[in-house]
Amino acid sequence: RGTPGMPQQVHELRAVRPHPFVPRHPRPLGADDLQLATAWMAAFFAESGAGEGARPGWAREAAAIHVGRSSLHFWLNPDPVCMAGGRETSEGVARIGPVYTPPAHRRRGYAGALVADLSQRLLDGGCHTCCLFTDVRTLTSNHVYAEVGYQPVASVNEVWFRPA
């Protein structure tokens, strides 16, 4: 028997809507950022439930993979205030995620600015579509992504199975 997981929607974007200016800029994470990226990845997994059933060390492994691919970025103000991943995953389609802002930095536009910037760079780099997954219960992130131009295109019902 499966246990219902996070109810999700897949969103797509083909053109970034102009986003309000938010001071500072993004930068890719490097090897020196692995500790902070791991902590934020663990927090993202814990808050979203995305790490349910994950083995120990999964957050560090996920952060290391993103850092190795140069697909994880910080929004700086002047220190990191938000993190988002983004890369082309198949022919002309990019995936955004994970996106995480620590509680002390939320509601200031950092996530929207970073997602808009990252999405535009992927489109400018040859992708025709960007996509991301959201938890339908998290109204704030769904609103932020809609402001950037993401539109829901499919629903996903996640189910977790545990060995007997």
Side-chain angles (χ1 to χ4, degrees):
R1 264 187 201 177
T3 303
M6 177 192 331
Q8 300 176 63
Q9 282 189 313
V10 180
H11 300 252
E12 76 171 4
L13 172 136
R14 295 181 185 264
V16 175
R17 287 189 191 134
H19 196 268
F21 176 74
V22 175
R24 302 299 183 231
H25 57 87
R27 80 160 164 81
L29 275 71
D32 292 344
D33 300 311
L34 187 57
Q35 184 175 353
L36 181 57
T38 298
W40 285 9
M41 193 74 73
F44 168 80
F45 289 150
E47 284 185 27
S48 68
E52 185 175 326
R55 66 189 178 285
W58 192 39
R60 182 174 176 77
E61 184 179 318
I65 289 168
H66 276 286
V67 168
R69 291 180 180 152
S70 297
S71 62
L72 204 54
H73 296 76
F74 280 141
W75 191 261
L76 306 174
N77 188 25
D79 296 319
V81 293
C82 182
M83 175 180 79
R87 69 182 184 94
E88 184 174 355
T89 56
S90 62
E91 296 180 26
V93 178
R95 172 138 186 241
I96 301 294
V99 178
Y100 180 73
T101 306
H105 300 295
R106 292 181 183 166
R107 298 194 173 282
R108 297 182 187 164
Y110 299 134
L114 181 52
V115 168
D117 180 84
L118 201 51
S119 300
Q120 188 63 60
R121 282 194 278 144
L122 288 160
L123 293 171
D124 291 346
C127 291
H128 58 78
T129 304
C130 293
C131 70
L132 55 79
F133 287 75
T134 65
D135 179 341
V136 298
R137 302 167 299 189
T138 309
L139 302 178
T140 300
S141 63
N142 286 283
H143 175 75
V144 167
Y145 302 137
E147 284 184 335
V148 172
Y150 280 88
Q151 299 296 315
V153 294
S155 295
V156 176
N157 293 311
E158 180 181 71
V159 179
W160 290 91
F161 293 94
R162 300 192 196 290

